Amino acid sequence: LSNSVSSRMETSLHRQLKTLYSSSTAEQEVTVDGYRIDAVHNGRLVEIQYGSLGAIREKIRDLLQNHDVLVVKPLAARKYLVNKTKRGGAVTSARYSPTKQTFFDLFDDLVHFVSVFPHPRLTIEAVLTEQEEHRVPAKKRRRRSKGYRVEDRKLTSLGKRLRLATVNDLL
């Protein structure tokens, strides 16, 4: 699973994006060259990466040897935060986050992906999204814990998309 929210549970956001980028569920969660791929569309592998691009660097480098790859990077242009008492519990508060991601946030992430991008078989698509993030209290407070964990993220709308395939696209 290429989503940093939880290694045990796929978020609704991830599932919704897989549906948008594939023709059918038969083309989702397939194994290619020993790797689990989010989707395949028209012969191109689609990997949706909410977390750091550096986390999938080796996987993408290996897949590019034999396949065209589209990496989809959702950016939270607007996020509605919903706090709950517990998993599936009552809502205690809700508000919009003051943090808003833009396409410029992608550049911070690309620093960890320079050994892979650019590549003739690779396209990165950054997508501005509006999301609803459901949070529950963290079970244990770790040293740098924020006191909550994300239960789920849901896509509420899609905004502009930015495709990067060459160095000139970065300009």
Side-chain angles (χ1 to χ4, degrees), residues 43-101:
R44 174 185 266 176
L45 307 183
V46 179
E47 191 64 22
I48 298 160
Q49 184 64 5
Y50 193 85
S52 168
L53 291 175
I56 61 169
R57 181 176 44 235
E58 299 306 317
K59 173 183 183 178
I60 300 303
R61 186 188 341 254
D62 289 350
L63 291 170
L64 287 171
Q65 293 177 28
N66 301 309
H67 307 279
D68 291 339
V69 178
L70 171 66
V71 174
V72 177
K73 178 72 177 169
L75 300 169
R78 189 159 190 200
K79 195 184 294 185
Y80 190 66
L81 307 175
V82 178
N83 295 303
K84 296 180 175 183
T85 55
K86 62 181 181 179
R87 184 170 183 76
V91 174
T92 58
S93 66
R95 64 180 174 85
Y96 281 101
S97 171
T99 307
K100 296 177 182 184
Q101 290 184 305

Side-chain angles (χ1 to χ4, degrees), residues 146-158:
K146 295 179 181 177
Y148 67 86
R149 65 180 182 78
V150 176
E151 176 186 40
D152 197 12
R153 283 191 179 103
K154 297 177 182 179
L155 180 67
T156 55
S157 73
L158 280 176

